[in-house]
């Protein structure tokens, strides 16, 4: 569906026509650009946009099917950028990703959003309050969307760091994270970090190209040369995010290893205790077994105090073994 359609000239908004097929012509006549926002459009709806703005069929296919990695594609008549906004749900501790596709031409911007994350209405309103930035043309929209997505990455990274600290405190608590669900929680957290990493990592190369310091050098078409410092700022923020994600990934791996080591030590302690109690139970069992063999010629069978003496010997040996194991820390 078409969420919004407007023409921008000299940094100010002009309402787009009812039929957006005339929007591009009006934008060119006003010396500005048209920005059309779509949310999960159908193929029929997008065919109209494709025909009007001459979008490349490969980019159109990616925009309709979604499930793309962050990337930047340059075509003859447009620039195509894929971003993956991230949403963190603290109630369920889940990281979910959406997709935002941005088509940039000489005087048009088409944004296609999939998923509920990162609505672009707030970005549009913020830009409309900054006429000087909006006056730079379609590049300003590309920068504003990239900046909003990457800044939200920083917020998600902070929330994940908080959750990781809570998980770390649980694992290194006095009971050593003894809950049977601790390992499952650690593994689930690692999956969330991996999902986050899939959104942030591949975006490094597109932003590097927008800054103009990519392997091929030069500039990217349809991007204002004066916008490089803005994209450099976004790239710096993304570098911070990627460093945070790397740190989270390493820490959660270390926490999982520490938890497994604690579980192994605890199992060894349990086995030592079981072995100690088994050894203590073996002594009276052995003595009772000897006196239960029913031979005629056994010592002290007819002695009046033989029964209490044997019981006393068992108790004495049990006390001796108990103190020995206690001293060694087995009990």
């Amino acid at each position: 569906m078409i969420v919004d359609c407007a023409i921008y000239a000299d940094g100010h908004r002009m309402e787009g026509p009812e039929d957006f097929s005339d929007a591009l012509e009006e934008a060119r006549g006003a010396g500005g650009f048209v920005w059309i926002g779509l949310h999960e459009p159908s193929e029929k709806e997008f065919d109209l946009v494709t025909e009007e703005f001459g979008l490349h069929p490969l980019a159109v296919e990616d925009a309709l099917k979604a499930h793309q990695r962050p990337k930047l594609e340059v075509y003859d008549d447009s620039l195509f950028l894929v971003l993956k906004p991230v949403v963190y749900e603290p109630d369920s501790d889940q990281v979910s990703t959406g997709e935002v596709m941005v088509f940039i031409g000489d005087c048009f911007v088409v944004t296609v959003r999939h998923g509920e994350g990162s609505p672009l209405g707030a970005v549009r309103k913020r830009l409309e309050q900054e006429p000087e930035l909006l006056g730079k043309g379609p590049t300003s929209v590309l920068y504003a969307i990239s900046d909003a997505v990457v800044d939200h990455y920083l917020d998600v990274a902070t929330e994940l760091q908080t959750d990781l600290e809570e998980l770390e405190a649980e694992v290194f608590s006095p009971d050593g994270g003894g809950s049977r669900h601790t390992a499952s929680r650690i593994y689930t957290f690692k999956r969330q970090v991996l999902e986050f990493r899939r959104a942030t990592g591949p975006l490094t190369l597109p932003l590097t190209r927008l800054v103009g310091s990519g392997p091929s050098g030069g500039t990217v078409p349809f991007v204002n040369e004066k916008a490089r410092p803005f994209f450099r700022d976004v790239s710096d923020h993304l570098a911070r995010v990627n460093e945070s994600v790397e740190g989270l990934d390493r820490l959660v791996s270390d926490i999982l290893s520490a938890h497994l080591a604690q579980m192994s030590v605890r199992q060894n302690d349990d086995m030592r205790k079981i072995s100690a109690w088994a050894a203590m139970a073996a002594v009276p069992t052995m003595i009772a077994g000897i006196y239960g063999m029913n031979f005629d010629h056994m010592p002290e069978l007819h002695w009046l105090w033989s029964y209490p003496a044997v019981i006393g010997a068992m108790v004495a040996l049990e006390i001796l073994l108990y103190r020995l194991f206690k001293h060694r820390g087995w009990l």
Side-chain angles (χ1 to χ4, degrees):
M1 59 177 292
I2 298 177
V3 178
D4 199 353
C5 174
I7 295 173
Y8 296 92
D10 298 326
H12 298 283
R13 175 175 177 138
M14 302 166 51
E15 290 300 328
E18 294 182 1
D19 185 358
F20 72 85
S21 61
D22 300 327
L24 185 58
E25 184 178 347
E26 289 192 19
R28 283 177 175 156
F33 68 95
V34 57
W35 179 3
I36 296 178
L38 301 101
H39 180 231
E40 298 182 356
S42 65
E43 186 173 350
K44 183 178 179 180
E45 289 175 331
F46 207 64
D47 283 343
L48 299 175
V49 179
T50 301
E51 183 179 352
E52 176 65 22
F53 297 103
L55 305 179
H56 196 278
L58 292 177
V60 170
E61 181 181 359
D62 290 344
L64 287 173
K65 292 185 177 180
H67 304 294
Q68 305 295 318
R69 297 175 76 240
K71 62 179 180 178
L72 178 67
E73 300 286 353
V74 179
Y75 299 103
D76 293 336
D77 300 322
S78 62
L79 188 70
F80 179 58
L81 176 66
V82 178
L83 300 163
K84 293 184 75 70
V86 173
V87 176
Y88 182 69
E89 301 170 2
D91 295 335
S92 58
D93 295 337
Q94 293 289 322
V95 171
S96 59
T97 58
E99 289 189 43
V100 173
M101 286 83 166
V102 186
F103 294 87
I104 298 290
D106 56 349
C107 55
F108 71 86
V109 178
V110 177
T111 55
V112 183
R113 183 167 60 89
H114 292 268
E116 298 301 322
S118 186
L120 299 180
V123 177
R124 190 186 288 260
K125 288 181 180 179
R126 181 169 70 90
L127 262 180
E128 291 173 354
Q129 294 173 0
E130 300 182 30
E132 183 177 352
L133 178 60
L134 192 57
K136 297 184 183 297
T139 303
S140 63
V141 179
L142 187 66
Y143 157 71
I145 295 174
S146 304
D147 184 55
V149 170
V150 173
D151 281 351
H152 192 62
Y153 286 165
L154 290 169
D155 297 335
V156 173
T158 301
E159 292 175 340
L160 286 174
Q161 181 65 42
T162 301
D163 283 356
L164 181 61
E165 291 173 357
E166 294 176 357
L167 192 58
E168 187 177 22
E170 177 183 337
V171 170
F172 293 103
S173 61
D175 63 350
S179 171
R180 66 180 64 183
H181 302 296
T182 301
S184 175
R185 284 191 59 198
I186 296 173
Y187 180 75
T188 300
F189 188 87
K190 191 171 181 65
R191 287 292 300 269
Q192 305 312 311
V193 173
L194 178 60
E195 185 72 17
F196 190 25
R197 193 174 191 172
R198 287 173 179 166
T200 64
L203 187 57
T204 301
L205 182 57
L207 282 179
T208 300
R209 293 177 62 189
L210 289 172
V211 170
S213 57
S216 59
T219 60
V220 177
F222 308 109
V223 174
N224 193 319
E225 182 73 18
K226 297 180 180 179
R228 282 191 180 188
F230 295 95
F231 287 110
R232 188 178 300 117
D233 180 67
V234 178
S235 182
D236 289 342
H237 289 177
L238 182 64
R240 287 174 52 196
V241 172
N242 284 327
E243 288 175 1
S244 298
V245 173
E246 289 286 344
L248 288 170
D249 190 46
R250 286 196 301 269
L251 278 174
V252 74
S253 296
D254 292 342
I255 289 174
L256 180 59
S257 298
H259 175 68
L260 294 177
Q262 286 181 327
M263 294 296 292
S264 178
V265 170
R266 189 177 298 109
Q267 289 175 350
N268 289 337
D269 289 340
D270 293 340
M271 288 302 299
R272 283 194 303 179
K273 291 178 181 180
I274 293 171
S275 299
W277 286 112
M280 293 172 62
V283 172
T285 302
M286 178 189 67
I287 296 175
I290 292 174
Y291 277 90
M293 289 188 291
N294 297 323
F295 292 118
D296 289 335
H297 302 286
M298 292 184 67
E300 311 302 340
L301 283 180
H302 302 289
W303 182 40
L304 179 63
W305 298 100
S306 58
Y307 181 79
V310 169
I311 297 297
M314 290 181 181
V315 172
L317 288 173
E318 289 295 295
I319 293 175
L320 179 63
L321 288 174
Y322 179 82
R323 295 186 65 180
L324 177 63
F325 292 142
K326 191 74 173 178
H327 178 70
R328 294 186 176 183
W330 285 29
L331 292 175

